[in-house]
Amino acid sequence: MLELHPVTLEDKAWIDPLVWAEGSSSADFNFGNIYLWDGSFRQQVGKLNDRVIVMPCYDDEPFFAWPVGTGDLGPVMAELEAYAGEHNFPFTLRGVTQAHLPLLNELFPGRHTALPERPLWDYLYSAEKLATLAGKKLHGKRNHINRFEAENDWTFSALTPADFDDCFRLLDEWNSVNAGEEHEDIGADDEYAAIRRAFDHYDNLGLEGGILRVSGRPVAFTMGEPVCEHTFVVHFEKAHAEINGAYPMVNREFVRLIRERHPAVQWINREDDMGIDSLRQAKESYHPDAMVEKYTVVIDHE
């Protein structure tokens, strides 16, 4: 029987191993994103047959995230379908990847509709590529970094609690300049709350980050976490865009730090663009090596 409860930090202990067992590069499945965005999605979590059940609710419309983990999927899906029916809401799954679609075809032949959610597709990059920026396609990024290094007395270091106040000030400055561009589901206030929550529980969430300074002044920070053996997800990255090269610099330096700490990581997931044109252009400018395509699947009741 499915039993759900509001997500808490204590859930990380049992959710992390199941997410790791899934082995997916998707940014949706890790505990960090579940917990950080809970203020926006008011998520309920539970466990069924070694799978993580997450039921977010947005605009009073509940749905299920893909049940990550291991074990027989059939009984889990049957339980989710029954739960949706009993509570009178459509049986909808979000965060469904291409790898999951064949499984749904077997379980619900002719009973489901898969809708691609392009704004939610994750951008995947080779960790080596982002660390070196080698190749003709990225020569522009290298030029910006060369100018940054030539013009500035800079340092990059791993984030520690001593840096958090500086990051908060940078975040406030960034918000005052960049207010306006929002996804229909996620606004500036939602992201701000998620970032503040990340700093408030940084160590307990197992987050890792870095801060870029120019002459001691913070000009960029970033943070994320590994989601499986081969993929590290970058949750947030903020920089003073008026400082030429600040964004590519903090990106490169952080990936180099990730590779030092996690030699097995092959992929950097820089998450989705939320349908925001400027974000899409920025992420495409790094020429992603792959996309994690995601779908919303609506399953008709029998």
Side-chain angles (χ1 to χ4, degrees):
M1 179 178 178
L2 178 57
E3 296 182 0
L4 298 172
H5 62 268
V7 63
T8 69
L9 278 174
E10 286 69 32
D11 292 309
K12 178 177 171 62
W14 65 267
I15 288 178
D16 274 355
L18 299 181
V19 171
W20 202 267
E22 177 82 12
S24 174
S25 291
S26 174
D28 290 0
F29 303 145
N30 64 91
F31 181 79
N33 265 337
I34 294 171
Y35 187 79
L36 294 176
W37 293 96
D38 187 53
S40 303
F41 293 105
R42 295 175 289 139
Q43 295 158 109
Q44 301 277 318
V45 299
K47 183 179 178 182
L48 275 178
N49 297 0
D50 290 327
R51 289 187 178 269
V52 182
I53 308 304
V54 181
M55 188 181 73
C57 185
Y58 196 84
D59 286 341
D60 296 322
E61 295 182 5
F63 58 89
F64 290 110
W66 178 263
V68 300
T70 59
D72 190 354
L73 190 61
V76 172
M77 286 297 184
E79 187 73 24
L80 297 186
E81 183 174 18
Y83 187 95
E86 291 169 7
H87 293 80
N88 197 32
F89 65 86
F91 183 21
T92 303
L93 294 164
R94 299 188 70 176
V96 179
T97 70
Q98 280 189 314
H100 300 142
L101 291 177
L103 302 176
L104 292 177
N105 290 335
E106 293 179 8
L107 292 171
F108 305 105
R111 290 181 51 207
H112 68 284
T113 303
L115 306 172
E117 295 274 9
R118 175 59 183 82
L120 304 181
W121 292 8
D122 293 337
Y123 292 74
L124 280 183
Y125 308 86
S126 157
E128 180 179 2
K129 183 175 79 173
L130 291 188
T132 62
L133 297 176
K136 185 176 181 180
K137 290 182 178 180
L138 296 175
H139 74 279
K141 303 295 183 186
R142 295 196 302 276
N143 288 341
H144 285 301
I145 284 178
N146 290 338
R147 179 177 170 183
F148 179 92
E149 292 179 313
E151 294 179 348
N152 299 290
D153 177 17
W154 66 275
T155 60
F156 177 87
S157 58
L159 269 179
T160 71
D163 301 309
F164 290 174
D165 285 345
D166 283 341
C167 291
F168 292 148
R169 283 191 290 271
L170 194 159
L171 178 61
D172 288 337
E173 294 166 359
W174 188 95
N175 278 344
S176 66
V177 172
N178 294 276
E181 279 200 315
E182 299 182 355
H183 180 252
E184 60 183 6
D185 290 342
I186 302 296
D189 291 343
D190 296 303
E191 184 186 49
Y192 186 88
I195 295 175
R196 289 296 303 232
R197 200 173 210 198
F199 282 115
D200 289 343
H201 305 287
Y202 189 80
D203 289 334
N204 289 334
L205 288 171
L207 298 174
E208 303 176 45
I211 186 168
L212 180 68
R213 296 178 181 272
V214 170
S215 300
R217 173 198 173 201
V219 297
F221 72 84
T222 183
M223 71 175 77
E225 63 182 308
V227 294
C228 62
E229 183 178 8
H230 53 69
T231 303
F232 191 102
V233 169
V234 177
H235 292 318
F236 306 111
E237 180 183 89
K238 301 298 180 186
H240 285 302
E242 73 276 10
I243 300 177
N244 190 291
Y247 268 113
M249 192 69 179
V250 74
N251 182 6
R252 188 194 72 175
E253 293 301 297
F254 189 41
V255 173
R256 289 181 173 181
L257 178 63
I258 292 167
R259 296 187 79 200
E260 290 177 6
R261 291 182 169 182
H262 307 281
V265 166
Q266 302 172 17
W267 300 103
I268 304 298
N269 182 326
R270 291 182 56 80
E271 298 195 345
D272 56 55
D273 59 43
M274 299 187 292
I276 298 173
D277 289 340
S278 60
L279 269 179
R280 181 168 296 187
Q281 293 169 9
K283 293 176 189 286
E284 288 180 345
S285 72
Y286 280 93
H287 302 281
D289 295 287
M291 303 289 290
V292 180
E293 299 182 13
K294 301 177 198 173
Y295 299 80
T296 292
V297 176
V298 180
I299 299 169
D300 297 328
H301 291 294
E302 285 187 314

